Amino acid sequence: MDPFSPLYYLQNPIWVFDVDNKKILWANDKSLRLWEATSIEELLNRDLGQDMSAAAAATLLEYQQTFKLNKTIKTWWRFNPKQITKNMLCLFSGIPLTDGRMAMLVEVIADESSLRRDLAFSDCSNLALLFNGDGTFISSNAAFSSCYGKNLVDLSEFIGDIAIAQQWLENAKKNNSFKCNRLCWTGQRHNWFDIEAKWLNDNSQLLLQLVNVTKDKEKLNKEKYNAEHDFLTGLMNRRGISAALKASHHHRSHYSLLFLDLDGFKLVNDSYGHAAGDKLLRAVAIRLLNVVKDKGLVARFGGDEFIIQIEKRNYTTIENFTDQIIKTLSRPFHIKDIGELSISCSIGTANYPDDANNFDTLITQADMAMHRAKQRGRNCYYPFLQEMADALYRKMTLRHHLSQALENHDFELYYQPIIDLNSQQLKGFEALIRWHDELLGQVSPAEFIPLAEETGQIVPLGLWILHSACQQLAYWTQRYAQPFIISINLSRAQLQPNIAQTIEQIIRQYNVNPSQLALEITESTMLQDYCETKPCLDALAAMGIELYLDDFGTGYSSLSQLHELPISTVKLDQSFIQGEHSSNKVIIEATKAICDKLNLKIVAEGVETQAQLNYINQCGFDYCQGYFFSRPLPVYELEEKYFHTPEMSMAAQS
């Protein structure tokens, strides 16, 4: 009785192969066409070992060991019946013979879905190479020979390194097998292979079973390239230059990192469109590459920002190198369909390892230095200084604590008296915000107010000041019945169309007389976006609120506009009062004359000495404030000093 007869009626080609004797022991009739056989008898009489390579034979012997573990193997196998090459997806499994040996059951898979799924591997798997104990090439299987020929000499030629070849042999002998991935020479070209190496103890040979993964590797390399390069300019991006520095010798050499930002690039985009801006960025990239050449690396950080890395041995001084870049980019660019465009750049530099020993920190430092270059007038370079990092850390800490202080109401209002020089009486107080932080201590308004304006926190902070000052004014008015004015500083961000409505609600809430409230606004704030600001100021003045022009002389006044604004009082900046240069007196007297002509009252800020007081009295100033009379005081001190008697004379104040 035929022991394999139950397999006969399977629809796929199937046969039993005697691995030891290289003969087919049994086959179904579906196998005849695959083997180009005229009959089953003729097929069983063939000696398949006659044309089988040593590598293929060794591979089948390895398969036998797999079968003993009750495992199957699914792989593409190349057949050459009567010199006709056929590539079939096969399922190999072990089948015991009556004499106790293990044969191989081969089934050719004919399911279309399986074929489609595995087709991608048909030309890159089931490759085998056989080497002897000293690495000499013995043989390749038909699949390898068909793809790459039989031109190999030895293992070291295949993997491209004599020392590594020796390591492979020793590793295989010691551990029986290992796996790796490597770019190898096939005798015709280089290819990437996933390699499984096995040591054949019986013959002292090394068998390499290979899968060609070149396409996958190339795809990964392409994806890696795209991920590390800027699509627009072709330069490396931040990720790319970081990887390049880590992968090269640069991390062992002293180098400078330049952070470059184009000046005026936004104007190009706004004027000519983003297409023109893209052309300009590509032109900038070309010029930077021409300057740097092989001395370093160039990358586009993003937008109109670029990064340059250059080793210190490749330039004389960083000043000369940055000057060369600035001059190169200052030359006009000819942009097709646009004409000539001119730009400049600002550059910040940081040094490895003097300033930092990692790329990300260097980028941050060079960026800080670049912004300092912007502040110093642009079209220049500036080196990183440690004080910049300290200032940034302080700023970040302040920003965080400022948010918490807003939530916890950690601010306090101090009040500084304003004196009426004509009546020798108290005109009122200026409300000044103070902040004491548990960790940071007393934080100056000169430090946290600009930060609040930058972050937008000035709006809720300003609203808190308005509420607090009006509430305090209402309390003092009710208790002491003194007709004085409290002035409050207003920021540009608060001058929104609804500001008058907001302040009117606050006044009503605390039952404050609008005539007792003054708002101090700087001249730059008043004149910035003049057309939008003027309606806001007119609405506030219509409510009966006084408007003070603060820090006069420090901004860019336009008298033709100032006289159209509903201002009642000008506050001359303290720098003129305290200055000793003769020109200060000229400015003081000229300001007084202008205010007289415009029918404006005038306040002298920062009066600290009797001589200063005498001079402004001589000039005919209306009001003054300063440390000569009083520093800004908290509420309890101010009440003790000014509200303990009905009379608040100038003598009592001093």
Side-chain angles (χ1 to χ4, degrees):
M1 181 178 178
D2 184 352
F4 308 118
S5 57
L7 303 172
Y8 186 83
Y9 296 101
L10 291 176
Q11 297 303 306
N12 299 341
I14 187 167
W15 62 90
V16 177
F17 183 73
D18 186 340
V19 177
D20 300 318
N21 298 310
K22 310 298 186 291
K23 292 176 67 69
I24 291 177
L25 300 178
W26 176 91
N28 66 357
D29 58 5
K30 303 295 189 300
S31 306
L32 296 179
R33 185 175 180 182
L34 185 153
W35 284 104
E36 300 294 329
T38 56
S39 66
I40 296 295
E41 183 180 2
E42 185 259 324
L43 178 59
L44 300 184
N45 287 328
R46 288 185 188 181
D47 181 4
L48 299 180
Q50 186 176 358
D51 298 323
M52 184 179 291
S53 67
T59 300
L60 292 176
L61 289 174
E62 282 301 303
Y63 285 179
Q64 266 192 319
Q65 302 304 313
T66 302
F67 301 151
K68 292 178 181 179
L69 300 174
N70 293 321
K71 294 181 179 180
T72 60
I73 298 169
K74 181 182 177 183
T75 186
W76 288 87
W77 194 272
R78 195 178 300 266
F79 302 89
N80 291 285
K82 297 185 178 181
Q83 306 305 313
I84 299 174
T85 301
K86 299 181 180 182
N87 209 25
M88 298 291 175
L89 184 62
C90 300
L91 183 64
F92 297 153
S93 57
I95 187 168
L97 299 177
T98 55
D99 59 7
R101 294 183 302 116
M102 181 70 74
M104 182 171 72
L105 177 65
V106 181
E107 179 185 1
V108 175
I109 299 174
D111 181 76
E112 281 190 26
S113 62
S114 296
L115 288 173
R116 283 198 301 270
R117 185 173 62 250
D118 294 303
L119 189 58
F121 302 98
S122 63
D123 60 347
C124 58
S125 62
N126 189 33
L127 308 172
L129 294 174
L130 191 65
F131 301 88
N132 67 14
D134 61 9
T136 301
F137 174 69
I138 298 175
S139 136
S140 60
N141 68 350
F144 188 96
S145 300
S146 175
C147 292
Y148 312 111
K150 302 178 181 180
N151 300 322
L152 285 177
V153 175
D154 55 28
L155 181 62
S156 61
E157 179 193 28
F158 178 63
I159 62 178
D161 191 295
I162 296 175
I164 294 178
Q166 189 59 39
Q167 291 175 10
W168 279 25
L169 290 167
E170 293 173 359
N171 187 5
K173 291 176 184 177
K174 180 179 179 181
N175 300 308
N176 294 321
S177 66
F178 65 86
K179 295 180 180 181
C180 66
N181 177 276
R182 187 174 179 84
L183 182 66
C184 300
W185 174 249
T186 63
Q188 294 181 347
R189 57 186 176 272
H190 282 95
N191 289 94
W192 281 95
F193 294 101
D194 280 340
I195 302 171
E196 183 175 5
K198 296 183 178 180
W199 183 252
L200 309 180
N201 285 302
D202 292 344
N203 300 316
S204 296
Q205 294 172 334
L206 179 68
L207 175 66
L208 301 184
Q209 294 174 308
L210 316 170
V211 176
N212 188 332
V213 293
T214 302
K215 291 181 180 179
D216 291 339
K217 201 74 172 180
E218 288 174 349
K219 182 181 178 182
L220 287 173
N221 288 340
K222 185 176 181 180
E223 290 174 352
K224 183 175 183 293
Y225 179 89
N226 291 337
E228 294 183 349
H229 286 77
D230 173 51
F231 177 77
L232 179 65
T233 62
L235 298 176
M236 286 182 288
N237 57 22
R238 173 177 178 161
R239 178 177 176 179
I241 192 172
S242 176
L245 287 172
K246 291 175 182 176
S248 69
H249 67 281
H250 293 297
H251 69 279
R252 296 191 298 270
S253 304
H254 289 241
Y255 66 81
S256 291
L257 198 71
L258 284 63
F259 197 107
L260 182 152
D261 182 88
L262 300 181
D263 303 324
F265 180 75
K266 184 177 184 299
L267 183 61
V268 174
N269 270 344
D270 293 344
S271 302
Y272 302 104
H274 289 276
D278 289 347
K279 291 177 183 177
L280 180 59
L281 289 174
R282 284 191 287 265
V284 167
I286 291 171
R287 287 196 188 178
L288 291 178
L289 287 172
N290 286 336
V291 172
V292 177
K293 296 180 179 176
D294 58 350
K295 300 175 185 176
L297 304 173
V298 182
R300 183 183 175 207
F301 187 79
D304 61 341
E305 297 172 334
F306 295 84
I307 304 169
I308 298 172
Q309 177 272 340
I310 183 167
E311 291 187 14
K312 289 191 174 182
R313 59 188 174 89
N314 287 332
Y315 63 81
T316 52
T317 66
I318 194 64
E319 292 86 353
N320 289 340
F321 183 67
T322 54
D323 185 57
Q324 184 183 0
I325 292 174
I326 290 170
K327 287 180 178 178
T328 298
L329 296 187
S330 295
R331 298 197 312 268
F333 290 85
H334 183 81
I335 305 299
K336 186 178 179 182
D337 301 327
I338 300 294
E340 288 193 344
L341 295 177
S342 294
I343 57 168
S344 59
C345 69
S346 300
I347 302 174
T349 64
N351 299 310
Y352 173 89
D354 299 336
D355 294 322
N357 58 8
N358 68 83
F359 176 77
D360 290 333
T361 304
L362 283 171
I363 283 288
T364 302
Q365 293 173 340
D367 186 21
M368 283 187 244
M370 182 274 293
H371 281 92
R372 184 66 63 89
K374 292 272 190 187
Q375 294 169 1
R376 291 175 66 87
R378 304 170 185 265
N379 200 34
C380 63
Y381 111 95
Y382 205 89
F384 167 76
L385 302 172
Q386 184 57 42
E387 66 186 46
M388 298 177 189
D390 296 339
L392 181 63
Y393 177 76
R394 169 78 176 179
K395 185 175 181 179
M396 293 299 295
T397 304
L398 276 175
R399 181 170 183 169
H400 175 62
H401 284 236
L402 186 60
S403 297
Q404 293 180 320
L406 278 168
E407 293 178 5
N408 300 332
H409 304 292
D410 291 337
F411 299 101
E412 183 180 5
L413 285 185
Y414 278 38
Y415 297 88
Q416 187 174 33
I418 300 176
I419 306 302
D420 186 331
L421 294 174
N422 295 316
S423 66
Q424 305 292 299
Q425 297 294 312
L426 184 71
K427 172 180 172 59
F429 304 97
E430 179 182 358
L432 298 167
I433 191 168
R434 295 293 183 264
W435 176 26
H436 183 273
D437 184 85
E438 290 186 4
L439 180 64
L440 302 173
Q442 197 70 31
V443 185
S444 168
E447 186 175 19
F448 73 80
I449 291 295
L451 179 61
E453 290 176 337
E454 180 183 323
T455 60
Q457 293 168 313
I458 192 65
V459 174
L461 184 60
L463 190 61
W464 177 85
I465 293 172
L466 283 167
H467 275 278
S468 299
C470 287
Q471 185 178 25
Q472 188 65 61
L473 177 60
Y475 171 78
W476 280 338
T477 301
Q478 181 181 6
R479 181 168 183 181
Y480 299 109
Q482 299 295 337
F484 55 81
I485 292 176
I486 285 186
S487 64
I488 302 168
N489 291 279
L490 209 62
S491 73
R492 173 66 186 90
Q494 290 175 273
L495 284 177
Q496 301 297 323
N498 64 341
I499 182 64
Q501 181 181 355
T502 300
I503 292 179
E504 184 178 15
Q505 291 173 350
I506 295 173
I507 288 174
R508 288 180 178 177
Q509 179 179 347
Y510 298 107
N511 195 26
V512 169
N513 188 334
S515 63
Q516 287 185 268
L517 187 64
L519 299 176
E520 298 192 12
I521 308 168
T522 63
E523 55 187 309
S524 59
T525 295
M526 284 192 178
L527 299 180
Q528 183 182 16
D529 299 326
Y530 176 80
C531 293
E532 296 180 13
T533 303
K534 189 176 184 304
C536 294
L537 300 180
D538 288 338
L540 291 170
M543 293 168 55
I545 296 173
E546 283 200 58
L547 297 177
Y548 293 178
L549 179 61
D550 196 17
D551 298 335
F552 183 80
T554 61
Y556 301 93
S557 296
S558 171
L559 296 178
S560 63
Q561 291 178 321
L562 283 178
H563 86 274
E564 296 178 354
L565 295 174
I567 302 165
S568 66
T569 305
V570 168
K571 299 187 76 173
L572 184 64
D573 188 72
Q574 63 181 1
S575 60
F576 301 108
I577 304 299
Q578 297 172 2
E580 298 180 357
H581 199 277
S582 59
S583 62
N584 287 319
K585 290 188 175 182
V586 174
I587 294 172
I588 291 171
E589 293 170 11
T591 302
K592 172 59 178 165
I594 291 171
C595 288
D596 286 344
K597 290 293 183 181
L598 296 176
N599 198 28
L600 298 173
K601 300 293 184 180
I602 185 167
V603 180
E605 292 185 294
V607 176
E608 295 183 348
T609 66
Q610 184 67 54
Q612 292 169 358
L613 177 61
N614 293 339
Y615 179 67
I616 63 170
N617 264 319
Q618 178 185 335
C619 292
F621 272 56
D622 301 288
Y623 311 106
C624 69
Q625 73 181 95
Y627 276 34
F628 181 75
F629 301 101
S630 174
R631 60 182 174 82
L633 298 173
V635 170
Y636 72 93
E637 286 189 35
L638 186 139
E639 289 179 340
E640 288 179 1
K641 185 172 183 178
Y642 290 99
F643 295 127
H644 59 285
T645 61
E647 293 295 327
M648 293 183 289
S649 67
M650 192 168 173
Q653 294 154 19
S654 61

